[in-house]
Amino acid sequence: ADAAAVAELKAAVLQLAVMGRLVPQDADDEPAGVLLERIGAERAADSKSNPQEGDLPPLPEQWCWSHLPEIAFLNPRNYLDDETVVSFVPMDAVPTEYGDPLRNETRLWRDIRKGYTHLQEGDVAFAKITPCFQNRKSAVMRGLTNGFGAGTTELVVFRSDPRFIVPNYLLIFLKSPGFVQGGVDNMKGTAGQQRVPKEYYTTTPFPLPPTAEQHRIVARVDELFA
């Protein structure tokens, strides 16, 4: 098959997934509005709840709009013993394609705890610098040695509660054409050193489905990409 056509099809699948058009809805799912309240009860809810972004496209009935800081902690820190053996994730170890594995190296925590972005098993991260962002360098942190690690400072890390947010659903959103194009349009900095600014990924509306539907979406995307 023509590589460009396949890439276009994959991009379309990711976009449909975060618009609620890839799998059927189930009226018995707990509505995402209730889910958002539960997440908020579990943590200090961010002040920017209920986005007022104006003309947001309609979502399926059980879904709701939210923001990433409402459903995940941003760039959290790890507190580990210095002698803990952990993973190190350089930029070239972060995959661009959905479904491709994350690679990592092994280091002592004391050697990488300063000057790097902290990582934990299940975190979802994306590269904020050009051209890595446009190339969709992003991944779920899986297979980290002892469940922890650190990586390039050009990663933005989201840590959410897997009981509520399915990591791969968040990854699908970060790789979706809508999120990537919006980030490209908002990049700041000098040529060759442009980055997606924090205000973009903290204020971009995030389409939140019920947890059960997140699982169904991920299963369907995995199936289509297999």
Side-chain angles (χ1 to χ4, degrees), residues 15-21 23 25 32-33 36 51 55-67 169 173 205-210 213 217:
Q15 194 60 47
L16 290 171
V18 296
M19 292 165 65
R21 311 267 282 280
V23 299
Q25 277 71 51
L36 202 55
D55 300 325
L56 289 175
L59 290 174
E61 195 177 335
Q62 304 286 83
W63 293 40
C64 75
W65 287 108
S66 62
H67 290 113
Y169 175 74
F173 173 75
F206 174 70
L208 179 65
E213 188 167 343
I217 290 168

Side-chain angles (χ1 to χ4, degrees), residues 94-110:
V94 181
T96 57
E97 289 288 325
Y98 180 86
D100 283 1
L102 175 81
R103 293 183 293 109
N104 64 78
E105 305 159 6
T106 308
R107 303 272 178 89
L108 282 177
W109 180 243
R110 65 163 184 243

Side-chain angles (χ1 to χ4, degrees), residues 72-226:
F73 291 104
L74 187 63
N75 294 334
R77 308 290 293 166
N78 299 335
Y79 299 95
L80 307 171
D81 184 275
D82 272 358
E83 302 308 308
T84 309
V85 179
V86 296
S87 288
F88 180 68
V89 181
M91 185 63 84
D92 64 3
V94 181
T96 57
E97 289 288 325
Y98 180 86
D100 283 1
L102 175 81
R103 293 183 293 109
N104 64 78
E105 305 159 6
T106 308
R107 303 272 178 89
L108 282 177
W109 180 243
R110 65 163 184 243
D111 297 331
I112 56 174
R113 66 183 171 86
K114 288 183 180 172
Y116 293 104
T117 301
H118 289 192
L119 305 166
Q120 179 179 302
E121 190 77 11
D123 286 352
V124 185
F126 76 87
K128 63 186 175 185
I129 193 167
T130 187
C132 303
F133 179 79
Q134 289 95 320
N135 293 340
R136 293 179 168 81
K137 268 191 175 281
S138 51
V140 179
M141 297 296 131
R142 290 209 175 93
L144 300 183
T145 303
N146 288 317
F148 290 97
T152 165
T153 55
E154 298 295 351
L155 288 176
V156 176
V157 179
F158 299 106
R159 185 172 299 171
S160 51
D161 189 325
R163 292 175 301 167
F164 305 136
I165 306 295
V166 180
N168 270 56
Y169 175 74
L170 179 48
L171 181 65
I172 288 166
F173 173 75
L174 296 177
K175 286 190 187 286
S176 68
F179 179 78
V180 174
Q181 189 54 55
V184 170
D185 293 343
N186 283 276
M187 276 192 163
K188 293 184 175 170
T190 55
Q193 282 292 305
Q194 291 199 310
R195 290 175 178 82
V196 179
K198 186 176 180 179
E199 58 264 29
Y200 173 69
Y201 52 83
T202 55
T203 62
T204 296
F206 174 70
L208 179 65
T211 307
E213 188 167 343
Q214 293 176 42
H215 283 289
R216 294 197 298 273
I217 290 168
V218 169
R220 183 71 178 125
V221 171
D222 288 350
E223 187 186 354
L224 290 168
F225 274 53

Side-chain angles (χ1 to χ4, degrees), residues 32 34-45 69-72 161 164-165 208 211 214:
V34 178
L35 172 61
L36 202 55
E37 286 172 15
R38 289 175 64 201
I39 295 170
E42 289 278 328
R43 46 170 295 178
E70 289 181 275
I71 58 100
D161 189 325
F164 305 136
I165 306 295
L208 179 65
T211 307
Q214 293 176 42

